Every structure is written in C-alpha cells, then in structure tokens.
C-alpha cells in the first residue's frame, strides 16, 4: 500500500508515517523538512506548500491513502485536492474540535453547529488577532475534502493530542512538574472536563482508516474525564512520595497573573467554565469506528520520558517556572491578592 503524509516531520504526521512504515506501507512524506526528520523507512519529498505549484514534485503520483495534517491554510488543502485528489484511494484530513461554534455545552456530537467557513491562509499574527480563523479555515477545508473525495474522505476533528513528540509543552507540563514532587499548584476546578488522545492511538486509527476505507466525520477525542482525577492519577503514576496538589481558586490564580490553557505563566489544560464543552465532545462515534485508547499510565510514563529527553528545566512554552509557581503559592498562602 502507498501512503502519502502531507507533513510527517512533526508530531501527528510523524506518528502516522511511523505507524504506516511499521505496517509495511510504502510511505512518502511531503514537507519542507524543517520541522524534523521523517521516520526511518519513509521517504521525504521536499515541498513548500506556500510556493506556487508547491506540490509539483508529487505530480502524476497515485496513492492508496493520503493524510493531510495542514494546520491552517485553505489554499494548501485546495491545492492538494486539485493535484492529488483524483489519484487518491482514500483521504484523511486532520481537522479540529475548534470547528464547533458552541464551546460551552458538553457532549456535542459531530452534528453540532459549526463556525462559518473561511477560505484563506493565515500567518501566526492573523491567528492571534482572529481566534476563529483557525476554526473557519478547518471548516472550509473539511467541506473541500468532502466535496472532492466523497465516500473516500475521512475527517478527523481532533481534540488535544498528547504523547511523545508534542512540543506544545501543554499536557507534558503536568507529568514533568508532578515528577519533581513537593507542593504542586493546580486550579481548584476538579470537575473540569478533560479529553486527551495519545498521538499513537490517533495515528493507528488513521492508518487503519486508510487501509479499510473508513469514511465520514468523527470527533477524534478520548473519553471525557475530570481534571481532578487526571491530575491525581498523574501523582499516583509519577509523583514521588509526599507530592501534594495545592488547589487554588481560579479568581486568585487570575489575580496572580496565571493564564489558562497554554502559553507562558499558565496552568496548561485549565479552561474557563464557558469552554467546558470544548474538552467534552461525544467520542462514541470514533470509538465505535475502532479508535482505541491505551492505558493512561502508559501515556503518562512515555510523556515523562520525552520530557526528560527535552530537559525538565528547559524554558517552556506553557506552564509555570518553579520560581513563578513558588511566588504564586507564597502569595496565596500569605493571603495576599
Ligand atoms: N496538537 C493538538 O493538540 C491538535 C489538536 C487539534 C487539532 N490538531 C491538528 O492536528 C494536526 C497536527 O499535525 P502535526 O502534529 O503533524 O503537525 P504540525 O506541527 O501542525 O506541522 C504540520 C506539518 O506541516 C509541515 N509544513 C509546515 N509548513 C509547510 C510548508 N510551507 N510546506 C509544506 N509543509 C509544511 C511541517 O513540516 P516542515 O516544517 O518540515 O515543512 C509539519 O510536518 C494539525 O492539522 C492540527 O490543526 C492538533
């Protein structure tokens, strides 16, 4: 089987290519090659999707399965469909749960209302200025893939992907921080929903889909869990004796300058109550179509190994530094605002 990954040099695309090589596919990855190397056994075809006719190096090639991880560009998706769609046996497009217009209501299925489509590309600055651009581009891209491939199209609306290779520093903060033990600052929102999907589980399902011709639109998410349970379990798995979770009221965290979800000086994966639906989509359709979930313990220990490879003391894109965490704990316990 010939599989093309449009991507393959970074996190999810790399995991898909790794899994396809493991199954004996002939795997081609098309990317610039600047984000990293492709897995052993895969071939890199250098392309720049920003260039006019950027996929010319793949012209006339046919693939049994194509997986496009295009993060945020409608023209990339449209050009790929135009160049390669007719010769593809199956096409997976990686979308996002960001496509849903309602971020608040838990339990939404794939039938929930979507943001308006946006048929443009976007650079990083535009993305920051318009938080719905990412969603709109994904919605427009999904439609283009369905219109071109019909029953040969799989749309995966991915939730938060975790696991080795994740350089976003979000989920990895928690195993890394908790492995250091002591008093660990956490938001006092134990009932906040959380959905995580291990990148290797997602990759295996995507490769299965290409092999079996699975079509349709699916929430690519894990079962919904509670943040308090997830953090307590990470303590059980990697916390040294005496590790203590110190819950801080969210208004106190905000007043202390701690951010939600991602970025510097944040407690990653913590979201405001009006975004609880964002991390609690219905996962039953994907689970019914073969998406399986490895034990959480395995994900946590592998993420910690990866975090150690990167260096636990490195500057992070998400989380609190030990000094920031210590200062917030001191403020909270000194009862200062
Ligand atoms: N991570 C999450 O939690 C999460 C959640 C929801 C949805 N998603 C979706 O999941 C996908 C993640 O994909 P990923 O982890 O494999 O990769 P990624 O970090 O989004 O990188 C995308 C790939 O695109 C390639 N690329 C970037 N610029 C390019 C260009 N000009 N020409 C050709 N290729 C280019 C990169 O390779 P080179 O730099 O080597 O060219 C890389 O292989 C995205 O669609 C994202 O929207 C992710």
């Amino acid at each position: 089987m010939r599989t093309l990954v449009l991507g393959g040099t970074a996190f999810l695309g790399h995991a898909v290519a790794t899994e396809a090589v493991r199954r004996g596919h002939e795997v081609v990855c098309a990317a610039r090659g600047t984000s990293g190397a492709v897995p052993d056994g895969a071939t890199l075809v250098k392309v720049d999707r920003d260039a006019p006719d950027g996929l010319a190096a793949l012209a006339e090639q046919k693939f049994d399965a194509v997986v496009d991880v295009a993060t945020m560009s409608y023209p990339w998706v449209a050009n790929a469909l135009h160049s390669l769609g007719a010769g593809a046996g199956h096409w997976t497009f990686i979308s996002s749960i960001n496509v849903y217009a309602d971020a608040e209501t838990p339990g939404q299925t794939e039938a929930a209302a979507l943001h308006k489509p946006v048929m443009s590309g976007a650079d990083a600055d535009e993305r920051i200025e318009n938080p719905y651009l990412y969603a709109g581009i994904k919605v427009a891209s999904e439609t283009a893939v369905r219109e071109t491939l019909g029953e040969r199209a799989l749309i995966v609306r991915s939730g938060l992907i975790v696991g080795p290779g994740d350089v976003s520093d979000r989920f990895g903060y928690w195993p890394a921080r908790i492995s250091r033990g002591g008093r660990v600052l956490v938001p006092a929102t134990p009932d906040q929903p959380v959905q995580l999907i291990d990148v290797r589980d997602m990759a295996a399902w995507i490769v299965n889909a290409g092999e079996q011709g699975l079509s349709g639109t699916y929430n690519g998410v894990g079962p919904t869990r509670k943040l308090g349970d997830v953090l307590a379990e990470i303590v059980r798995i990697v916390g040294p004796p005496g590790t203590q979770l110190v819950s801080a009221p969210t208004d106190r965290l905000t007043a202390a300058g701690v951010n939600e979800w991602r970025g510097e000086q944040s407690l990653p994966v913590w979201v405001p109550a009006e975004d609880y639906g964002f991390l609690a989509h219905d996962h039953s359709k994907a689970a019914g179509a073969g998406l399986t979930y490895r034990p959480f313990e395995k994900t946590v220990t592998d993420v910690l190994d990866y975090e150690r490879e990167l260096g636990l003391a490195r500057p992070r894109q998400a989380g609190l530094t030990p000094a920031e965490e210590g200062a917030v704990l001191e403020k909270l316990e000194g009862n200062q605002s």
Side-chain angles (χ1 to χ4, degrees):
M1 176 155 178
R2 259 194 121 213
T3 295
L4 171 68
V5 180
L6 291 167
T9 55
F11 192 36
L12 177 61
H14 189 276
V16 169
T18 302
E19 178 65 14
V21 168
R22 193 185 70 76
R23 302 218 195 157
H25 297 197
E26 180 191 340
V27 179
V28 174
C29 299
R32 296 164 306 172
T34 51
S35 294
V38 301
D40 288 346
T43 304
L44 173 67
V45 173
K46 287 200 175 188
V47 302
D48 183 350
R49 299 177 79 176
D50 283 328
D53 207 11
L55 295 180
L58 298 168
E60 311 295 323
Q61 295 207 36
K62 290 194 174 358
F63 295 93
D64 301 299
V66 175
V67 178
D68 188 1
V69 301
T71 304
M72 196 174 175
S73 170
Y74 177 78
W76 282 16
V77 173
N79 290 341
L81 292 167
H82 178 73
S83 306
L84 299 160
H90 184 267
W91 194 286
T92 298
F93 175 67
I94 308 302
S95 184
S96 166
I97 43 117
N98 284 76
V99 293
Y100 294 113
D102 174 357
E104 190 164 1
T105 310
Q108 293 179 74
T109 70
E110 289 80 356
L114 305 180
H115 281 289
K116 288 199 174 68
V118 178
M119 294 185 196
S120 76
D123 62 25
D125 291 342
E126 283 174 293
R127 182 172 174 171
I128 289 163
E129 281 164 24
N130 178 357
Y132 301 115
L133 199 56
Y134 176 62
I137 290 173
K138 288 290 195 190
V139 172
S141 302
E142 286 189 2
T143 303
V145 172
R146 277 189 213 99
E147 283 177 359
T148 308
L149 274 300
E151 286 302 303
R152 293 176 288 137
L154 173 72
I155 309 292
V156 180
R157 292 181 179 152
S158 178
L160 182 62
I161 310 171
V162 305
D166 177 14
V167 292
S168 78
D169 288 348
R170 281 176 295 189
F171 175 72
Y173 173 78
W174 292 110
R177 170 62 193 93
I178 289 170
S179 74
R180 296 195 345 260
R183 293 162 55 69
V184 181
L185 184 69
V186 302
T189 54
D191 293 332
Q192 179 202 306
V194 181
Q195 278 180 315
L196 309 168
I197 179 81
D198 189 297
V199 66
R200 296 158 298 179
D201 296 334
M202 180 74 106
W205 185 57
I206 289 166
V207 176
N208 283 344
E211 289 176 345
Q212 295 163 12
L214 180 68
S215 72
T217 301
Y218 297 81
N219 292 331
V221 296
T224 306
R225 305 177 60 196
K226 291 183 175 182
L227 181 61
D229 295 344
V230 166
L231 295 175
E233 205 172 339
I234 298 174
V235 171
R236 181 186 66 72
I237 298 164
V238 300
T243 303
Q244 190 193 344
L245 299 181
V246 180
S247 294
T250 55
D251 55 340
R252 305 286 307 277
L253 289 174
T254 304
V258 179
N259 297 308
E260 293 148 346
W261 184 238
R262 73 193 307 165
E264 286 177 10
Q265 204 161 320
S266 64
L267 287 178
V269 190
W270 163 41
V271 293
E274 60 267 27
D275 286 345
Y276 277 9
F278 178 66
L279 288 171
H281 288 93
D282 186 333
H283 75 294
S284 60
K285 187 176 174 192
L291 177 56
T292 58
Y293 311 100
R294 72 195 55 215
F296 186 55
E297 178 152 0
K298 181 78 184 125
T299 298
V300 170
T301 52
D302 291 349
V303 166
L304 182 56
D305 287 347
Y306 180 67
E307 284 281 331
R308 285 181 169 141
E309 262 173 49
L310 296 179
L312 294 187
R314 74 187 187 281
R316 304 186 65 89
Q317 296 182 65
L320 298 177
T321 64
E324 287 167 348
E325 185 189 46
V328 177
L329 283 168
E330 207 172 292
K331 238 186 207 176
L332 291 170
E333 283 158 4
N335 214 18
Q336 306 153 22
S337 56

